[in-house]
Amino acid sequence: MFAYVEILIRTVLAILLLLFIAKVLGKQTISNMTFHDFVTGITLGAIAANLAFNDKLNLSHLILSLIVVSITSYLLSFIALKSRKMRSWISGSPTVLIEGGKILEDNMRKVRYTMDSLDQSLREKGIFNIEEVDYAVLEDNGEVSVLKKDEYQFVTKKDMKLHPNGQVFPIELIMDGKMMEKNLENNGLTKEWLEREVRRKGKRISDVFYAARGTKQQLVFDFYEDGIQQSIDKE
């Protein structure tokens, strides 16, 4: 019985320690997986797994190991921030895959990047014809950044000399049938105003699954009752 309790405690401790370490190391570690972040993540995961389940290893030794890895990772991040030369070694550097519309096969071979992977990355960006691409760069985190050829670029309001309309940050007003009172208060909105807007739709607050004020000040509602007779995809 004691063994089960010990595993429970060690597992909870491992999770809490990893959450704390992730907070200390920052969001980049979980959002942009560079070489350094990948190695750090794998190492921390292995140590945390042993901390949770391997009762043959001393608890204090594992915690010390987690602390050492975290400090080392933090120092490497600090060094990378201060030195561009070291940053290239620690985190890697971007690799140009397409230049001037031409695929650089040698660069692709150096980073062991296949045409299948390149085609997939382009499709994920809505590009199905490789002839549209002027430049493609494989970033440190494995993502491909693309610059389309001039004739395939989207036209902007600036290109058409149109006056841009003002935009605001969207605000969530209702979630899961409940008002987001703090959001209303922070943006100078009232419950009465929101209830009035919902009534205009012939609904009550409890009928609304989600509501938000969009970037153009427009109100967007999604109700629990969708009125769809037969869903295309149903879990």
Side-chain angles (χ1 to χ4, degrees), residues 26-148:
K27 292 181 179 179
Q28 179 166 319
T29 303
I30 59 174
S31 62
N32 298 317
M33 290 292 286
T34 61
F35 293 151
H36 163 229
D37 300 322
F38 176 77
V39 171
T40 299
I42 292 293
T43 307
L44 288 175
I47 297 171
N50 277 289
L51 173 60
F53 300 112
N54 197 340
D55 55 3
K56 292 184 175 64
L57 294 177
N58 191 292
L59 184 65
S60 59
H61 292 172
L62 289 168
I63 292 175
L64 177 61
S65 182
L66 272 176
I67 293 171
V68 170
V69 171
S70 302
I71 291 174
T72 303
S73 178
Y74 184 84
L75 288 175
L76 285 172
S77 296
F78 182 78
I79 292 169
L81 190 67
K82 295 295 182 181
S83 169
R84 183 179 178 84
K85 190 174 182 179
M86 288 301 295
R87 181 162 63 244
S88 176
W89 184 81
I90 293 169
S91 300
S93 57
T95 302
V96 179
L97 303 179
I98 298 177
E99 182 176 345
K102 305 295 183 183
I103 300 171
L104 304 182
E105 297 87 355
D106 290 340
N107 283 5
M108 291 183 65
R109 272 196 293 270
K110 285 178 185 176
V111 295
R112 290 173 291 283
Y113 202 78
T114 67
M115 271 305 302
D116 288 334
S117 297
L118 179 58
D119 285 338
Q120 178 183 334
S121 297
L122 293 178
R123 287 195 298 270
E124 288 173 352
K125 297 184 179 300
I127 300 172
F128 286 78
N129 296 312
I130 202 166
E131 65 181 16
E132 298 179 17
V133 180
D134 199 6
Y135 287 88
V137 180
L138 181 63
E139 305 291 359
D140 299 344
N141 61 358
E143 294 288 326
V144 174
S145 299
V146 177
L147 176 65
K148 287 185 176 184

Side-chain angles (χ1 to χ4, degrees), residues 14 42 50 54 74 90 152 180 190 195 205 234:
I42 292 293
N50 277 289
N54 197 340
Y74 184 84
I90 293 169
Y152 295 106
M180 310 288 286
T190 64
E195 287 171 345
I205 296 293
K234 193 171 183 178

